[in-house]
Amino acid sequence: MLNTYAPYVLTLRPAIEIVFENEGTVQFALASDKSPFVDMRLKGLHRARSEFEGSVATNISRLIQFWDASGRKGKLEIKLYSGSPGICYYATGKICFVGSYLESRDAINSPQIEFDKRSWAYERYMDHFEAIWEDADPFPIPVSNDHLKVAE
């Protein structure tokens, strides 16, 4: 997943849990609070920086909680990027959804275009994700998530 702060992570929980149960890998690339893109995006959403920072921390904690609930099956990888993602991106091994950052609207609530894995577009968007992923900084996942508990 490539997104700014993943405001929909609770909605994705069932799909994330399936990946963990099947011992797959969940990768989230989220915007670092140091990214200049964050200020531009927050202006378009009419939101405060503190709201963004709180959302990133909460959603990282939730992802770790989902992984903990699975008995830490599979693999959870979280990275923070500092550039502009250009798109929001959600992918599985079979399809991907690509969305835009529209004014005053979270990307998840904007139109999404679906591409099949066999398509040229899927490959180009996967290349884009992988380039951002390679350049992003890993988020160290603690051995215990007890200090990160958040309300559902």
Side-chain angles (χ1 to χ4, degrees), residues 60-149:
I60 287 174
S61 179
R62 285 181 172 144
L63 289 167
I64 296 169
Q65 285 178 26
F66 301 164
W67 192 39
D68 285 346
S70 77
R72 292 205 171 196
K73 290 181 182 176
K75 190 172 184 183
L76 173 62
E77 298 176 346
I78 301 170
K79 288 191 174 186
L80 303 176
Y81 62 86
S82 58
S84 170
I87 57 166
C88 64
Y89 177 76
Y90 318 93
T92 69
K94 296 180 182 179
I95 60 168
C96 74
F97 294 93
V98 178
S100 300
Y101 292 107
L102 302 179
E103 186 71 18
S104 302
R105 185 176 294 266
D106 282 320
I108 191 69
N109 296 316
S110 297
Q112 305 286 314
I113 301 171
E114 179 180 344
F115 297 100
D116 184 88
K117 180 181 180 170
R118 298 168 293 191
S119 71
W120 176 86
Y122 179 99
E123 292 176 19
R124 295 300 73 77
Y125 285 119
M126 182 59 81
D127 291 345
H128 176 71
F129 172 80
E130 289 174 356
I132 289 173
W133 185 258
E134 283 299 313
D135 194 44
D137 296 321
F139 180 86
I141 298 175
V143 174
S144 169
N145 193 27
D146 291 339
H147 66 290
L148 295 172
K149 298 289 185 211

Side-chain angles (χ1 to χ4, degrees), residues 23-88:
E23 298 190 12
T25 301
V26 173
Q27 295 178 312
F28 265 82
L30 301 170
S32 165
D33 61 354
K34 295 172 183 66
S35 172
F37 174 75
V38 170
D39 290 318
M40 291 183 291
R41 185 67 184 133
L42 290 173
K43 184 178 178 185
L45 290 172
H46 310 290
R47 295 196 180 141
R49 180 171 266 284
S50 59
E51 185 179 348
F52 163 79
E53 291 167 352
S55 293
V56 169
T58 296
N59 288 321
I60 287 174
S61 179
R62 285 181 172 144
L63 289 167
I64 296 169
Q65 285 178 26
F66 301 164
W67 192 39
D68 285 346
S70 77
R72 292 205 171 196
K73 290 181 182 176
K75 190 172 184 183
L76 173 62
E77 298 176 346
I78 301 170
K79 288 191 174 186
L80 303 176
Y81 62 86
S82 58
S84 170
I87 57 166
C88 64

